[in-house]
């Protein structure tokens, strides 16, 4: 399997589908990789980029064979089923074009359409029987004869077209966008409309089923003959923003673009998926029966039953000033209090039983990014946009101390299991360790090349883990400050990490939409390795 990187990456990664391991990384594009297509022989790969280039790659050697300069940004590419032809859809600010190219050299053989003004979407696809090339431009779909370049048919979809694909027999064409539509290739007759706005679609090998996917409707399977939805698989939308284990280690919960997800750690299927707004932070109650999550609505927190997924309560600060998202939540040791920090600097203590605010702790900073209770239940720590960590007395609500040392925003705070130490991670790329009795800084860990978004202590208090926007997780020996391992595998910013209760596994959630499990002992990925978010 191949994946292409965005503006901040610009690489192509090749993955082993069975082991889910990264096999090779191809570099050579100077812009976002917008499209990929495998040659039918499986030995070559074509890639298109926003930097107006198409590259042809030798997969075995991980080398670029050819680099073709194009007049415009390359939006989509596709090989013919015999591998002899390559189609490309290209566009700039003013006009767009579709080209038929020689697959060996990448050079254009025919220009099928060009100078079509105000075209926002472009997609290309060859029919499996090698006779037809389909190209979509906004809401219009064209069919060309591959041999002659003659345009056979043109038909209009009821809305924009994002992608197109043929069924295995080359008799049907599916188009996606504001709707999924099925078309008869011979007659251009509209055959079926499938509900939902989806970005991508593919037929099963027998042509009887269709799978579609998009940002807001998850993955759907359709019966092609009846147009009925066979199965909807939700929860595959956007980044994984937060992740946490239940105390017994049997459940893993994570929040993503479209809701909260609760998984059995011994299975590859979710126990519950509760689709709500985007969930930015979550936490298990100490008894593992309740999951708290927040972010989608201003100053609102949800509680769910961890076993059934049922929504139990909603906490809301019902005032005109409640206009900001909640960035962090944490349960007290006894599970009776929930702390929340939001982007306007509000730090609240909630009564879990009643949903009432017990105390409002006032900070000078505009944004609170993280909160954590000490294991003795006496102290609450918060990290903020003032570059400091604040310590609070839970019983009285009084401010205890300010820890200063970071030079940029503090995104993460975590107490050690015995509450004697506090770790913090910051936009300044460092992790700092603090003595909670003296409030003095003990150590500074350096090595990350970008902001540190999450920190976590191992249960035995010997290891500290940190996760960063540099897409790495690092393990540190607390006593010596030595870096023990660097975990790589995520393709996006890593937002949160959490140790399993036995300390053998670390879970990480990322902007790439996955949760990965890591073996702490040998620094490798665990199996099952990936939970999709």
């Amino acid at each position: 399997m191949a994946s292409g990187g965005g503006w901040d990456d610009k690489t192509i990664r090749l993955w082993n589908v069975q082991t889910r391991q990264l096999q090779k990384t191809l570099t050579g594009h100077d812009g976002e990789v917008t499209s990929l297509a495998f040659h039918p022989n499986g030995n070559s790969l074509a890639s298109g980029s926003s930097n107006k280039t198409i590259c042809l790659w030798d997969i075995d050697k991980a080398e670029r064979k050819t680099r073709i300069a194009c007049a415009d940004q390359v939006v989509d590419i596709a090989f013919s089923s015999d591998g002899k032809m390559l189609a490309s859809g290209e566009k700039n600010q003013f006009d767009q074009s579709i080209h038929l190219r020689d697959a060996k050299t990448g050079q254009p053989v025919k220009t099928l359409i060009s100078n079509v003004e105000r075209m926002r979407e472009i997609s290309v696809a060859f029919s499996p029987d090698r006779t037809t090339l389909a190209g979509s431009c906004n809401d219009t779909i064209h069919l060309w004869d591959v041999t002659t370049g003659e345009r056979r048919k043109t038909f209009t979809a009821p809305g924009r077209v994002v992608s197109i694909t043929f069924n295995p027999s080359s008799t049907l064409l599916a188009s996606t966008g504001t709707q999924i539509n099925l078309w008869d290739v011979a007659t251009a007759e509209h055959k079926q409309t499938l509900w939902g706005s989806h970005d991508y679609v593919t037929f099963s090998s027998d042509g009887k089923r269709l799978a579609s996917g998009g940002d807001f409707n998850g993955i759907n399977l359709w019966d092609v003959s009846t147009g009925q939805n066979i199965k909807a698989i939700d929860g595959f939308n956007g980044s994984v923003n937060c992740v946490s284990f239940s105390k017994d280690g049997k459940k893993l919960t994570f929040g993503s673009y479209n809701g909260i997800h609760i998984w059995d750690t011994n299975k590859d299927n979710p126990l519950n998926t509760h689709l709500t707004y985007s969930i930015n932070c979550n936490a298990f109650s100490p008894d593992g029966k309740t999951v708290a999550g927040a972010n989608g609505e201003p100053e609102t927190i949800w509680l769910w039953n961890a076993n059934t997924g049922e929504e139990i309560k909603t906490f809301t600060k019902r005032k005109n000033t409640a206009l900001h998202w909640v960035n962090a939540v944490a349960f007290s040791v006894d599970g009776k209090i929930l702390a929340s920090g939001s982007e306007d600097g509000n730090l609240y203590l909630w009564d879990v039983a009643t949903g009432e605010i017990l105390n409002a702790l006032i900070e000078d900073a505009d944004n609170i990014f993280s909160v954590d209770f000490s294991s003795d239940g006496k102290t609450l720590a918060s990290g903020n946009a003032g570059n400091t960590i604040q310590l609070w007395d839970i019983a009285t609500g009084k401010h205890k101390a300010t820890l200063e040392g970071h030079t940029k925003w503090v995104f993460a705070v975590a107490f050690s299991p015995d509450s004697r130490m506090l770790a913090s991670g910051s936009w300044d790329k460092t992790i700092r360790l603090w003595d909670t009795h003296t409030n003095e800084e003990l150590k500074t860990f350096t090595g990350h090349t970008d902001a540190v978004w999450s920190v976590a202590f191992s249960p035995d208090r010997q290891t500290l883990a940190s996760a960063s926007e540099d897409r790495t997780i690092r393990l540190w020996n607390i006593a010596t400050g030595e870096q023990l391992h660097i975990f790589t595998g995520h393709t996006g910013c890593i937002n949160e990490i959490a140790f399993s209760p036995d300390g053998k596994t670390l879970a990480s959630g990322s902007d790439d939409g996955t949760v990965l499990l890591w073996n702490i002992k040998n620094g490798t990925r665990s199996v099952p390795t990936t939970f999709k978010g």
Side-chain angles (χ1 to χ4, degrees), residues 22 127 162 185 191 239 243 264 332 402 437:
L22 176 65
S127 62
V162 176
V185 174
K191 303 291 289 184
S239 64
V243 60
D264 185 322
S332 60
T402 298
H437 294 295

Side-chain angles (χ1 to χ4, degrees), residues 123 125 134 136 141 143 155 157 161-167 171-177 179-185 192 194 199-203 209-212 224:
S123 182
S136 64
I141 300 170
L143 300 182
F155 44 96
V161 176
V162 176
S163 66
I164 51 178
T165 189
F166 285 91
N167 70 343
T171 56
L172 286 178
L173 182 76
S175 64
T176 65
Q179 296 173 323
I180 303 169
N181 291 286
L182 300 182
W183 309 85
D184 186 294
V185 174
Q192 193 91 251
L194 310 180
D199 298 327
Y200 305 100
V201 67
T202 185
F203 283 95
R209 291 179 297 171
L210 188 74
S212 62
V224 174

